[in-house]
Amino acid sequence: MTAANLLRTSSHALLAALLIPIAGVKQSTAGEMKIGETIEITRSHSWCWFPTIHRFRSGELMVGMVLCPDQLNAESTNSGYCISKDGGRTWSPRHTVGQGASHDGAWSEVPDAEDSLWQFGSYPELLGDSTRLRGTLTKFFRGGRASSQDRDVPITLREPSREAQTYLHAYGKEKVPDTRITGQFGGRVWGNIIRGADGELLCTAYFTTLQDAKRSSAAAHAPKDEEIKPDAEAPKGFNRIVLLRSDDGGKSWAERGVIAAVPEGARLPWIGSEGFNEGTLSLLPDRRLYAVYRSGGLDGMIGHGWSSDGGKTWTAPASIGFHGVAPRLRRLSSGALALATGRPGPVELRLNSDGHGAKWSKPVTIFTGKSTRYCDTVEVEPGRLLVVYDSVPYGWHPIPFSDRNARNRILGTFVQIGEGAR
């Protein structure tokens, strides 16, 4: 496999349009988008949430999901995936695969030359001075019927990163350690893997540098000479989001530039309590790079920025104008951009018709029920999207064993855009 062939955009095959509806879903329109039917992809009495969706060149769709609590712990992370061979109408049973199908990490925007989908970077290991990491690259091929995994993919950062405490969430109580490994890389490789203008591979990562960890301690009124400990907590986070680049076909990755970091001085009112994280990328028609990223779970707007030099430097962080977590950016066959996100509002889908990212449409509402609002979308055929998201009746809490009828579910809603939506 050559680097020049990785992630090459392919033409879309026309897929079946027969859908399996869920009772109570209504047809509606918003601008150039029309909501279609909603289908259930999978369900579980146990953890089943945080979905992503991907399309093989051969036509199969793959939905990944997390099968464990929300946590910071590589040793007990589990995920799974389902496959559809008929355009999303029906889905296979879940296949479990450890970390490899998690929403954490960066997924390839399109398959490589061998029609493999990549998931890179879930919980990379810290090495040495914390500028060196070792990530995991999982590849899915043969339409999801086979996979391989490389756990020794080097990642190099420009500044030392703060180590984070490993834990399982106790949801309102003290966080619970669950491993003999008490510290690990506190950030993520996240979002999507795209090809840059010169054939290089690009994705984002987020973390807190040791220097910015000191800013966190200062914000918490800690003594300036206090040592920054792995389990340090801060009322205001200073995550930064950086661009990673690979020039050897994904065998190794290095920081190319800082996409967004919290500026010095007074915190801008639109920047949430976390700093910048959960980024997603697109290569624009004019060869610029465009990045969209989260700044808070409930209190911050989504940010965005552009780079004209291959990701070395970026425009100052700016608000996109609406809230959301885990934004997922997709370039469509028409050249437009689609963005799926949610929180504190519902799961929503927006369009940028000129494909440059500056102006976004009003949202179309996909799902208003209880959900993490982590969602994703893919174009299953030209002008037809499938948006996936979770429905979690107990939120971040496990379903009690006594509630025998409750289920966590992964759902998908079809959206028609353009001429077909009128």
Side-chain angles (χ1 to χ4, degrees):
M1 172 172 47
T2 63
N5 286 328
L6 181 66
L7 310 179
R8 180 179 296 161
T9 303
S10 63
S11 61
H12 288 271
L14 295 178
L15 303 175
L18 179 62
L19 308 177
I20 301 175
I22 287 181
V25 175
K26 298 180 180 179
Q27 298 258 338
S28 64
T29 61
E32 296 182 348
M33 295 183 282
K34 181 179 181 181
I35 302 298
E37 303 291 348
T38 294
I39 51 94
E40 182 181 275
I41 295 168
T42 190
R43 64 168 67 182
S44 177
H45 193 273
S46 186
W47 304 102
C48 186
W49 53 356
F50 302 116
T52 63
I53 187 168
H54 319 277
R55 186 180 183 276
F56 290 94
R57 186 172 291 113
S58 53
E60 292 92 344
L61 299 176
M62 173 179 173
V63 169
M65 73 276 313
V66 175
L67 303 177
C68 61
D70 190 18
Q71 60 188 353
L72 188 63
N73 178 8
E75 290 189 324
S76 59
T77 299
N78 288 289
S79 61
Y81 64 96
C82 297
I83 296 292
S84 174
K85 297 182 179 181
D86 56 10
R89 182 175 71 245
T90 60
W91 292 85
S92 73
R94 288 191 304 275
H95 309 295
T96 56
V97 68
Q99 298 179 27
S102 172
H103 71 298
D104 288 328
W107 287 84
S108 50
E109 181 80 2
V110 295
D112 65 17
E114 281 71 41
D115 203 16
S116 295
L117 291 168
W118 294 16
Q119 195 269 6
F120 171 52
S122 291
Y123 296 100
E125 297 177 57
L126 279 169
L127 303 173
D129 64 358
S130 76
T131 62
R132 296 183 297 115
L133 311 173
R134 181 164 53 208
T136 299
L137 178 64
T138 305
K139 296 183 180 180
F140 299 91
F141 47 97
R142 298 211 305 268
R145 297 185 302 278
S147 63
S148 66
Q149 198 165 75
D150 183 351
R151 295 183 176 273
D152 192 23
V153 180
I155 304 169
T156 304
L157 306 176
R158 291 181 176 176
E159 294 189 52
S161 61
R162 186 183 72 175
E163 190 176 345
Q165 177 188 10
T166 59
Y167 60 82
L168 299 179
H169 277 289
Y171 308 113
K173 300 179 181 179
E174 183 180 358
K175 295 174 180 177
V176 179
D178 187 49
T179 171
R180 66 180 180 84
I181 307 299
T182 59
Q184 64 181 55
F185 178 56
R188 299 283 192 280
V189 177
W190 211 89
N192 57 342
I193 304 171
I194 67 169
R195 182 165 293 286
D198 297 319
E200 71 279 16
L201 301 179
L202 303 169
C203 68
T204 72
Y206 68 87
F207 61 98
T208 300
T209 66
L210 290 181
Q211 188 63 37
D212 282 343
K214 293 179 181 179
R215 296 171 67 188
S216 294
S217 288
H221 307 291
K224 292 183 179 181
D225 60 349
E226 181 180 343
E227 180 184 359
I228 305 300
K229 299 179 180 179
D231 60 350
E233 296 287 342
K236 292 291 185 181
F238 287 84
N239 274 320
R240 64 177 52 201
I241 186 167
V242 303
L243 185 73
L244 299 182
R245 171 174 170 146
S246 174
D247 293 314
D248 57 9
K251 295 178 181 178
S252 63
W253 298 75
E255 182 179 333
R256 172 74 164 174
V258 177
I259 296 173
V262 179
E264 297 285 350
R267 201 179 190 96
L268 298 174
W270 69 269
I271 300 176
S273 60
E274 302 166 349
F276 301 119
N277 59 90
E278 292 181 349
T280 183
L281 294 168
S282 186
L283 177 65
L284 304 183
D286 59 9
R287 293 173 61 92
R288 289 184 301 160
L289 292 171
Y290 177 54
V292 179
Y293 38 85
R294 164 179 170 167
S295 76
L298 294 171
D299 59 348
M301 294 281 189
I302 293 175
H304 64 166
W306 292 260
S307 174
S308 300
D309 57 8
K312 292 181 181 179
T313 61
W314 292 78
T315 57
S319 170
I320 203 171
F322 48 86
H323 295 83
V325 299
R328 296 287 184 177
L329 192 65
R330 296 280 187 170
R331 181 165 297 281
L332 308 181
S333 57
S334 65
L337 293 174
L339 182 66
T341 188
R343 205 193 304 171
V347 174
E348 296 177 335
L349 184 70
R350 287 177 169 85
L351 295 178
N352 166 250
S353 58
D354 66 9
H356 288 82
K359 296 181 180 180
W360 290 89
S361 71
K362 293 182 179 180
V364 61
T365 296
I366 304 296
F367 184 70
T368 59
K370 185 169 286 188
S371 169
T372 66
R373 304 296 190 241
Y374 276 67
C375 54
D376 196 4
T377 188
V378 76
E379 192 173 25
V380 298
E381 62 180 63
R384 189 173 186 79
L385 308 185
L386 180 57
V387 182
V388 296
Y389 49 93
D390 56 37
S391 171
V392 287
Y394 285 83
W396 263 253
H397 297 270
I399 296 174
F401 185 74
S402 59
D403 190 345
R404 300 178 63 181
N405 296 320
R407 295 292 185 272
N408 293 315
R409 300 190 297 170
I410 305 297
L411 303 176
T413 295
F414 288 85
V415 179
Q416 191 71 40
I417 61 174
E419 294 294 332
R422 297 173 185 173

